[in-house]
Amino acid sequence: MKTLYFEDIEDLCLAANDMYDGHNEIVFVCKYEDAKEILRELIFYDHKFKELLLEDPEWHGYEDEYYVTINDDGIWCEKAKPKDEYLYPDGDVVFISGDSNTKVLKKISKNAIVYEYSFEESNDEEPEEYDDFCECCYDRKEGKCFLDDEVEEGETYVHTLKDGDNVHGFNLSKHEDGAYKSYSYYGSDVLNEDRVRDILIKIDF
């Protein structure tokens, strides 16, 4: 499982929202404090709140994880372990906090793309931060990626979601005629550069 390092909750939610294409499901697996801050941050995105259950552990005694889910119905928050067993989260992309119980991993679909997220610096010589995660941007100039900088007029950027050498999806961003356009594609099938380019040709972006 790959670990992604973020500066704060805001950066985590930005990355997750970039991966949401309107049809897939993004799930955060985390304890109360992170769940509370994630929900607070998601207010600023174009998602409606569907159903939320979040209880302060000091008042209610529940100290296990929550599932915060983004899907086409809206935003959901539920207890991951309402009784003695963890529920199965329905997520295409799952972000799991480092302090989560490893039993949760057994409940996640094998087809899901799973990342551990952390706000601590890596002990490696070259920390693996979210900006480094963007390893493959086609047609980028001077190392610029649309996740880091504003897309300039007439420029197009493709950011691919990679797990090792395997590509599982991409975000496409384009600024043309004064309008900003974006397209996202994510799935469990492994993509290569040629397949990504074929998709781009078919959608005539």
Side-chain angles (χ1 to χ4, degrees), residues 110-125:
K110 294 181 180 180
N111 294 324
I113 301 172
V114 184
Y115 300 106
E116 178 182 345
Y117 72 84
S118 176
F119 304 116
E120 299 178 358
E121 292 185 0
S122 170
N123 293 325
D124 300 334
E125 293 183 2

Side-chain angles (χ1 to χ4, degrees), residues 56-156:
D56 189 325
E58 294 185 2
W59 288 89
H60 299 277
Y62 179 80
E63 297 182 346
D64 291 307
E65 296 81 0
Y66 287 89
Y67 295 151
V68 178
T69 303
I70 304 173
N71 60 27
D72 56 359
D73 287 326
I75 296 174
W76 306 72
C77 181
E78 61 181 331
K79 292 179 179 179
K81 190 180 179 183
K83 295 183 179 180
D84 296 330
E85 292 286 334
Y86 281 97
L87 301 176
Y88 289 89
D90 295 324
D92 300 297
V93 181
V94 179
F95 291 90
I96 182 170
S97 65
D99 60 352
S100 294
N101 193 311
T102 55
K103 292 181 180 180
V104 178
L105 294 174
K106 298 179 181 179
K107 301 295 184 178
I108 299 174
S109 170
K110 294 181 180 180
N111 294 324
I113 301 172
V114 184
Y115 300 106
E116 178 182 345
Y117 72 84
S118 176
F119 304 116
E120 299 178 358
E121 292 185 0
S122 170
N123 293 325
D124 300 334
E125 293 183 2
E126 297 182 359
E128 184 180 22
E129 299 178 350
Y130 181 67
D131 288 344
D132 294 332
F133 175 53
C134 180
E135 301 172 356
C136 190
C137 287
Y138 308 125
D139 302 326
R140 64 179 179 178
K141 299 177 181 179
E142 298 179 356
K144 188 196 300 184
C145 168
F146 80 93
L147 292 179
D148 308 321
D149 304 272
E150 293 184 1
V151 179
E152 298 178 3
E153 182 75 24
E155 294 184 347
T156 301

